[in-house]
Amino acid sequence: TSTWLPEALFANRRGAILEARRCLDLASKLVDAWQPVGLGGWWPIVTRRGLELRKYAHSLRITITNGHCGTLCSLFRSIEKLSSLSNLKMSEASIFILGAGKMGSNIARVLVDKVKQISLFDKNPARLERIIKELSVFSHTTVISKVSGELSDLRQALMSHHLCVCSTSNI
């Protein structure tokens, strides 16, 4: 992930590639050798579907993908690794998912019954209600809740969860 907005990525191509490499450097510390790291958001476009990063990723001993499935696997493996590095059992983790679109809802589906708590935020209330209803039916151990869009509620959610997964391209 990066804080760069699409305008900055497209305006400074060389800087965007350097930023992408910085992100891969971090990713290489979080995954085992040759594990997939998904290029989500604008990265496939900026890096020519990952072609400009392939050699660099190879030198770091990671596999890059530009598909939804690869991104989902990469997110899950990162959550596992961060939990391990923090000496936190996945079953005790509380995860805040920012964005309940395709990626956010799918990572929630993968995490349900593997973590203690999942909280979701999305600006689309109907989408949020739909995924919470779906997850609640299948969840036997996970507390599933929604977070309102009030700044104080978002701030509180960030402070009260072990990890936040940002799965939205919207600033």
Side-chain angles (χ1 to χ4, degrees), residues 3-19:
T3 58
W4 283 40
L5 296 175
E7 296 83 11
L9 290 172
F10 290 112
N12 182 356
R13 187 156 183 77
R14 181 180 160 99
I17 297 301
L18 291 174
E19 177 69 0

Side-chain angles (χ1 to χ4, degrees), residues 97-135:
I97 301 174
L98 195 56
K102 285 183 187 178
M103 189 58 61
S105 59
N106 279 326
I107 195 65
R109 286 181 187 104
V110 169
L111 291 172
V112 76
D113 289 336
K114 290 180 181 67
V115 298
K116 185 176 182 177
Q117 178 182 0
I118 297 172
S119 297
L120 294 146
F121 168 80
D122 197 280
K123 65 180 181 175
N124 181 328
R127 181 184 323 168
L128 190 56
E129 290 299 329
R130 190 169 46 248
I131 188 64
I132 287 175
K133 183 178 178 183
E134 176 192 331
L135 294 175

Side-chain angles (χ1 to χ4, degrees), residues 9 24 27 34 37 47 59-60 66 71 75 92-93 103 127-128:
L9 290 172
L24 288 180
W34 306 115
V37 173
T47 63
S59 75
L60 296 172
N66 59 8
T71 303
L75 275 173
E92 293 299 316
M103 189 58 61
R127 181 184 323 168
L128 190 56

